[in-house]
Amino acid sequence: MPNALPLPEVARLALQCLDLTSLNDADTPADIAALCQRAQTRFGPVAAVCVWPRFVAQARSLLPASIHVAAVANFPAGALDVALALSDVKAIKDAGGDEVDVVLPYRALMNGQTAECADFLQQVREASRPLALKVIIESGVLASPALIAQATQLALAAGADFVKTSTGKTPVSATPEAATEILREIATSGSPAAGFKASGGIRSVPDAKLYLDMAAAALGADALTAKRFRFGASGLLNDIEAVLAGQASAPSTSAY
């Protein structure tokens, strides 16, 4: 269990579960080259890099097969736009990507369009096979436990490999409260291989430890591998490397 591990071991575990991300509107090939170089740290590799679909081929060419390439679909707006999402998925597959992070049409869900959201996810799931599929539910906007639970249920029913909290593009990203709801649904869903991705606002190893502890409590310590647990972060790697180099960690910014 992470709560029994010293902080450097937590940092090493977080590194192994990290999706190193660059999703800035102004990203260039030079930015992606730097990202891919950064993903191969002196302490070991990250789990994946996450980029825009247009950079998948470049990232794949710069990384060893052991580091997955993820890219986003229907991102970040999360409109109820199946054609856009399927176009993104096709681009990711054709370019050699390994994983798709798709945004659930969360505002449509908030408007009661449950069947339409379920159909959207089913079509994306079928189109994305055999790639791993992470469904971003935008939990900070859904806000209520009931809506977060419903979005998680829809994602799991469609066959998502991971349920992911956030795009990182809204004022509220990952929170322990949202993680509680998502992990509860995963644990009781009958989907034993489904995983959880905490994304947005996680910048310190103590923050990461909080989510690792929660996942271990809900899903078991065996779930704390890149196959079932991920962090979506760009800033977290700085603190991971600091801790692994023997320096002090940044203080936690998450309250629970």
Side-chain angles (χ1 to χ4, degrees), residues 2-7 10 14 202 204-214 231:
N3 57 14
L5 295 177
L7 209 57
V10 175
I202 301 164
S204 73
V205 173
D207 285 340
K209 182 179 184 299
L210 171 64
Y211 289 100
L212 288 165
D213 285 343
M214 294 177 68
F231 290 110

Side-chain angles (χ1 to χ4, degrees), residues 11-91:
R12 196 169 300 279
L13 181 57
L15 176 65
Q16 295 166 359
C17 295
L18 180 63
D19 287 3
L20 188 64
T21 302
S22 188
L23 293 168
N24 302 305
D25 291 339
D27 278 347
T28 66
D31 295 323
I32 302 310
L35 182 79
C36 291
Q37 184 174 15
R38 183 121 171 75
Q40 303 171 76
T41 81
R42 65 188 176 106
F43 302 106
V46 301
V49 300
C50 186
V51 298
W52 294 104
R54 65 183 182 272
F55 293 121
V56 168
Q58 180 193 1
R60 184 67 283 159
S61 73
L62 295 174
L63 293 168
S66 59
I67 299 179
H68 286 189
V69 176
V72 291
N74 202 40
F75 187 96
L80 186 59
D81 190 338
V82 175
L84 171 62
L86 295 182
S87 176
D88 288 336
V89 169
K90 184 178 187 303

